[in-house]
Amino acid sequence: MTINRSKVVIIGAGLVGSSTAFSLITQGVCDEVMLVDINKDKARGEVTDLCHCVEYLNRNIKVTEGDYKDCGDADIVVITAGAPPKINQTRLDTLELSAKIVKTIVKPVMDSGFGGHFILVSNPVDIIAYYVYKLSGLPKNQVIGTGTALDSARLKYFIGEMFHVDPRSVQGYTMGEHGDSQMCPWSHVTVGGKRITDILKDNDEYKNINLDEIVKRVTRVGFEILEVKGTTCYGIATTVAGIIKSILNDENKIIPVSTLLEGEYGESDVFCGVPVILNRGGVKDVIEVHMTEEELMKFKESIAVIREYSDKIDIHRL
Ligand code: NAD
């Protein structure tokens, strides 16, 4: 009899990495969580602390400290190594540093025999995901950036707050860059099945709501958190755990993540946030929503921003 144990390796045991580990073990998402960090003391400290949770968890999850060579039997490798943007920087400004860091990580992970899914969190995540796709040689469905998954959770939260409903009753997402240029196809946002545009039309009390302002709030809020606490961690950690659950449990959940477009939306050879079906095989399908002309234009503008920065990493000289 073979009993398969699920293993997730998190590279980068900083705030995002350790919060992701905490989220995975408290939700009992997998059998083993391994932390790898260039700062071995930091990884050891986080692992020791996390191990002491076990008594009060609903299952005995193994938490270990490891190295790249231990990725060979992992189902998922999450990369969170990299520094958060400083005040007055955008996520795109952290590209050079993040690219340098992931370059040192991907090769040894692949040399370990790893054949699972990469989940990229390090920013700017769309470009880093594309870079890892090229560096690793893995099929496109196995390289997943967190994309606009967290932004979409924020969008739903703000809409839920506005209409006093559970954010989980809101259906919708932002798309494009996980960054300032992301957009929302409002023609596809519904609350309890009713289009948000109809809700605004039908209710006088909502007639002054400016939908573009909500997207701006989504793009700004990460920086508002950054200003007061230095980084964001719980939202992204729970988002990563949600993506991992969908993969390991073969859920076929639709989540907007960063994936390679190959003709969808008339775009190719670029990673960006679009809704996809996620299951054990990773990205099963990209959902192509029918956008209005204005929405499609905004989406394409966002992709142009990603491309401009992707071109700054000379992938072909790697
Ligand atoms: P942090 O500084 O707290 O942690 C980064 C960790 O990476 C540190 O422990 C550092 O030692 C480690 N590290 C650096 N180089 C390494 C290497 N070569 N190998 C292994 N470990 C290495 O930063 P953080 O707040 O955890 O943020 C991490 C990344 O996540 C940043 O790029 C940030 O912008 C990004 N982030 C993304 C999202 C998203 O929605 N995608 C949300 C929040 C943060």
Side-chain angles (χ1 to χ4, degrees):
M1 184 176 76
T2 317
I3 298 179
N4 289 327
R5 287 178 55 81
S6 50
K7 174 173 167 182
V8 175
V9 176
I10 300 174
I11 300 178
L15 269 161
V16 173
S18 57
S19 305
T20 300
F22 186 65
S23 192
L24 289 173
I25 69 166
T26 50
Q27 294 187 65
V29 173
C30 51
D31 298 303
E32 180 176 352
V33 176
M34 178 177 278
L35 288 180
V36 180
D37 200 293
I38 202 165
N39 179 344
K40 292 205 174 296
D41 288 342
K42 169 84 172 133
R44 193 170 314 115
E46 295 294 351
V47 166
T48 309
D49 198 3
L50 287 162
C51 284
H52 299 167
C53 297
V54 169
E55 169 63 15
Y56 300 103
L57 298 179
N58 50 16
R59 53 192 289 219
N60 180 9
I61 293 174
K62 197 167 156 193
V63 187
T64 53
E65 187 204 342
D67 213 327
Y68 300 129
K69 66 176 177 2
D70 304 312
C71 293
D73 61 348
D75 298 283
I76 294 176
V77 168
V78 182
I79 302 186
T80 76
K86 297 190 178 68
I87 307 282
N88 297 328
Q89 272 191 321
T90 70
R91 295 175 182 94
L92 291 167
D93 295 327
T94 61
L95 172 60
E96 209 179 312
L97 177 63
S98 291
K100 270 189 194 146
I101 292 175
V102 296
K103 193 172 180 187
T104 65
I105 294 171
V106 175
K107 188 172 183 308
V109 169
M110 294 312 293
D111 287 349
S112 74
F114 175 65
H117 303 285
F118 267 118
I119 297 180
L120 292 316
V121 184
S122 309
N123 274 316
V125 72
D126 303 291
I127 302 162
I128 294 301
Y130 181 65
Y131 191 45
V132 170
Y133 166 66
K134 292 284 179 184
L135 283 173
S136 66
L138 283 172
K140 64 169 185 169
N141 52 303
Q142 288 174 231
V143 181
I144 300 160
T146 51
T148 49
L150 170 60
D151 309 279
S152 300
R154 288 170 172 160
L155 179 87
K156 290 180 183 198
Y157 180 80
F158 292 145
I159 295 171
E161 204 181 31
M162 200 162 71
F163 297 128
H164 308 289
V165 297
D166 185 332
R168 293 170 302 172
S169 298
V170 178
Q171 171 73 42
Y173 23 71
T174 64
M175 294 170 60
E177 180 207 359
H178 167 59
D180 296 345
S181 70
Q182 67 189 278
M183 53 73 66
C184 175
W186 287 108
S187 59
H188 289 272
V189 177
T190 56
V191 181
K194 181 166 178 172
R195 280 186 193 189
I196 193 166
T197 43
D198 288 340
I199 297 174
L200 301 192
K201 256 189 251 156
D202 291 352
N203 295 278
D204 258 9
E205 59 184 302
Y206 299 134
K207 70 173 187 288
N208 292 328
I209 288 175
N210 178 342
L211 295 178
D212 289 339
E213 271 308 310
I214 302 173
V215 180
K216 279 195 194 136
R217 210 175 150 203
V218 167
T219 59
R220 267 197 320 256
V221 72
F223 291 95
E224 286 166 14
I225 301 169
L226 206 87
E227 262 175 49
V228 288
K229 62 170 272 193
T231 189
T232 74
C233 54
Y234 304 125
I236 184 61
T238 316
T239 300
V240 176
I243 292 171
I244 294 176
K245 259 193 286 185
S246 191
I247 295 173
L248 293 181
N249 299 339
D250 207 25
E251 286 178 353
N252 287 306
K253 189 174 164 77
I254 297 173
I255 303 181
V257 297
S258 198
T259 190
L260 184 75
L261 295 187
E262 281 184 316
E264 298 90 347
Y265 299 98
E267 296 286 344
S268 287
D269 202 34
V270 68
F271 266 70
C272 77
V274 285
V276 309
I277 302 172
L278 271 182
N279 65 19
R280 188 84 209 177
V283 173
K284 181 175 169 244
D285 261 322
V286 172
I287 312 279
E288 279 191 85
V289 294
H290 290 195
M291 295 192 217
T292 64
E293 242 174 68
E294 193 193 340
E295 287 166 356
L296 193 60
M297 196 182 75
K298 284 187 182 162
F299 179 62
K300 297 228 169 215
E301 280 168 9
S302 184
I303 290 190
V305 172
I306 300 174
R307 277 193 201 285
E308 186 194 328
Y309 278 82
S310 290
D311 290 348
K312 293 192 181 185
I313 319 179
D314 191 352
I315 282 157
H316 307 288
R317 280 185 48 221
L318 294 174

